[in-house]
C-alpha cells in the first residue's frame, strides 16, 4: 500500500444548484445541499478510497462543522493525529453554485485553514508522515487553501523525507513562490490555474501545451486538467493528451481533487506519468457523476471498472 501525506484544507460546502449564476444585484432561487469538502480533505478521502494509506495535517474550528470533519476522517480510516482544532477561527466554508451542466463556481472562506502554520507542517513530517510504508518514503500532496508558509514548509519537509511532492496550485495564484515551485516534482493546475500562472489563455489541449512551455521550470512533470477534455501532460520525453472516459456529468465539484489524488496514488505505486494520468482521468470523470465533494470521491474498483469498460469501447 502506498503512503500519501496530504496538506488538508477543510471547507463545509454550502451548495446551491441553480438554473444559472446570478447577475450582479440579482436574487435567484435554487436547491440547497451541504457537503464535506475542501480541496485537501477531498484529496485525502479520494487517496484513501483509491487504496492508499493516508495521513493529513490541517486545522478545523472548534464547532459543529469541525466535529463532522474529524468524524469523517475517522470513518475513512485516515490518520488525523496532526489535525488541530483552532480555538479562535471557525472551520472553513465554501459557497458553491452548480449549474445544470454540472459546472461550478466557488467562493472559499479559509478561516481555520489559514491559521495552519509552517511549524504545524514541519511537526507533522517529524512525527507522523515520515514513517515509511514498506520502505517507500511515499508521496506528499498539497494545494494552496491553507497558508503559504504551511505549504512551503510541508513541501520542504516532504522532500527532506525523500517523498515525491505533487502540487495542485489551487485556488489560482498569479505567482508561485520560487521555493515552492522548486520543491514540486509534479505540478497539477487546472486550465484557469495554468492561465493565472502563465498569462496564456487555456481552453484547448493545444493551449495547455503552449502554457506548459512558459510555465516556470522546476517540476519534472506538468499535468494540466481540462475538465471534459481530459488532461495534458508534459514530462521528459512525453507530450500527452489523454481524453477522459465518457460519463454523465452531474456536478464537477471535487473532480479535480479526485484527479490529483488518483495521480498521486498511481505515481506512489510506481506507475509512469502516462498510466497515472489515464487512471486520474477516470477518477475525475467518476467524481463528476455524483453530487457533492465528499460523496463523489471514487473507490478503486469503480475507477478500474470504468477504465476497463472505456478501453473496450472505442471513442
Ligand atoms: O475542489 C473543490 C473544493 O474546492 C470544494 O470542496 C470547496 O470546498 C473548494 O475548496
Amino acid at each position: 500500500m502506498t503512503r500519501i501525506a496530504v496538506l488538508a484544507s477543510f471547507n463545509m460546502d454550502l451548495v446551491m444548484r441553480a438554473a444559472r449564476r446570478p447577475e450582479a444585484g440579482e436574487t435567484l432561487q435554487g436547491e440547497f445541499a451541504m457537503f464535506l469538502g475542501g480541496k485537501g480533505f477531498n484529496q485525502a478521502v479520494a487517496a484513501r478510497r483509491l487504496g492508499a494509506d493516508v495521513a493529513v495535517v490541517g486545522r478545523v474550528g472548534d464547532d459543529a462543522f469541525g466535529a463532522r470533519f474529524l468524524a469523517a476522517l475517522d470513518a475513512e480510516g485516515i490518520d488525523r493525529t496532526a489535525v488541530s482544532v483552532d480555538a479562535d477561527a471557525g472551520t472553513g466554508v465554501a459557497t458553491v453554485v452548480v449549474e445544470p451542466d454540472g459546472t461550478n463556481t466557488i467562493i472559499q472562506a479559509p478561516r481555520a485553514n489559514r491559521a495552519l502554520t509552517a511549524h504545524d507542517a514541519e511537526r507533522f513530517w517529524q512525527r507522523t508522515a515520515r514513517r515509511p510504508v514498506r520502505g517507500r518514503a511515499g508521496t506528499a500532496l498539497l494545494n494552496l487553501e491553507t497558508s503559504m508558509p504551511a505549504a512551503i514548509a510541508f513541501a520542504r519537509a516532504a522532500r527532506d523525507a525523500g517523498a515525491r511532492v505533487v502540487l495542485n496550485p489551487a485556488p489560482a495564484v498569479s505567482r508561485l513562490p520560487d521555493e515552492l515551485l522548486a520543491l514540486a516534482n509534479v505540478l497539477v493546475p487546472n486550465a484557469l490555474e495554468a492561465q493565472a500562472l502563465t498569462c496564456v489563455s487555456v481552453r484547448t489541449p493545444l493551449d495547455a501545451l503552449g502554457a506548459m512551455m512558459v510555465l516556470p521550470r522546476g517540476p519534472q512533470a506538468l499535468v494540466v486538467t481540462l475538465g471534459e477534455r481530459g488532461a495534458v501532460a508534459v514530462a521528459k520525453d512525453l507530450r500527452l493528451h489523454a481524453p477522459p472516459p465518457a460519463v454523465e456529468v452531474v456536478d464537477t465539484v471535487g473532480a479535480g481533487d479526485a484527479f490529483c489524488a488518483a495521480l498521486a496514488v498511481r505515481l506512489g505505486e510506481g506507475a509512469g506519468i502516462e498510466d497515472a494520468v489515464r487512471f486520474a482521468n477516470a477518477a475525475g470523470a467518476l467524481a463528476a457523476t455524483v453530487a457533492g465533494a465528499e460523496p463523489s470521491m471514487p473507490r478503486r474498483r469503480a475507477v478500474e471498472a470504468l477504465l476497463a469498460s472505456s478501453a473496450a469501447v472505442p471513442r
Side-chain angles (χ1 to χ4, degrees):
M1 190 184 279
T2 191
R3 182 169 179 77
I4 311 272
V6 182
L7 182 67
S9 50
F10 299 97
N11 302 322
M12 187 58 80
D13 289 352
L14 310 178
V15 181
M16 286 288 180
R17 257 200 112 88
R20 57 179 172 77
R21 267 165 272 170
E23 305 285 335
E26 183 184 31
T27 302
L28 293 176
Q29 291 187 320
E31 297 299 320
F32 173 72
M34 199 163 81
F35 299 101
L36 300 182
K39 297 182 193 305
F41 173 77
N42 299 339
Q43 291 168 8
V45 169
R48 181 76 189 123
R49 291 182 186 172
L50 294 171
D53 177 26
V54 180
V56 294
V57 56
R59 201 175 277 216
V60 295
D62 187 8
D63 50 28
F65 289 171
R68 284 192 54 188
F69 277 109
L70 298 180
L73 290 169
D74 290 343
E76 295 289 338
I78 294 171
D79 181 341
R80 64 164 175 94
T81 326
V83 177
S84 50
V85 177
D86 197 290
D88 302 317
T91 301
V93 174
T95 59
V96 181
V97 176
V98 179
E99 296 182 68
D101 65 357
T103 56
N104 68 79
T105 42
I106 301 177
I107 299 178
Q108 183 227 4
R111 307 178 83 209
N113 294 304
R114 186 56 58 75
L116 195 73
T117 64
H119 181 63
D120 294 329
E122 284 155 7
R123 205 173 36 186
F124 168 68
W125 279 95
Q126 283 155 10
R127 294 189 182 170
T128 313
R130 209 176 182 110
R131 180 166 47 90
V133 174
R134 288 195 204 130
R136 291 211 192 117
T139 304
L141 178 57
L142 72 151
N143 65 86
L144 304 179
E145 280 191 331
T146 64
S147 71
M148 194 56 89
I152 294 172
F154 179 88
R156 194 190 303 125
R159 287 297 291 267
D160 287 349
R164 172 190 296 103
V165 172
V166 178
L167 170 60
N168 173 217
V173 288
S174 58
R175 196 176 163 277
L176 280 172
D178 292 344
E179 182 183 0
L180 185 56
L181 200 60
L183 289 165
N185 298 97
V186 184
L187 186 70
V188 195
N190 69 13
L192 278 177
E193 291 144 12
Q195 191 165 314
L197 286 170
T198 60
C199 297
V200 173
S201 160
V202 179
R203 289 176 195 280
T204 65
L206 206 60
D207 296 340
L209 278 171
M212 284 163 155
M213 297 307 141
V214 293
L215 266 171
R217 295 291 117 191
Q220 291 113 4
L222 301 170
V223 182
V224 178
T225 59
L226 298 167
E228 63 189 10
R229 290 172 185 250
V232 169
V234 172
K236 189 168 176 283
D237 301 330
L238 176 76
R239 299 276 179 282
L240 170 76
H241 170 225
V247 292
E248 286 287 322
V249 173
V250 171
D251 172 352
T252 56
V253 178
D257 300 325
F259 182 100
C260 291
L263 190 82
V265 168
R266 280 303 286 149
L267 292 175
E269 290 171 348
I273 284 281
E274 188 165 350
D275 171 330
V277 166
R278 294 191 196 285
F279 184 79
N281 257 347
L286 277 174
T289 64
V290 177
E294 176 274 321
S296 73
M297 294 301 112
R299 295 191 182 275
R300 180 83 180 216
R301 60 181 173 278
V303 173
E304 287 174 348
L306 179 59
L307 277 172
S309 64
S310 53
V313 182
R315 288 162 55 85

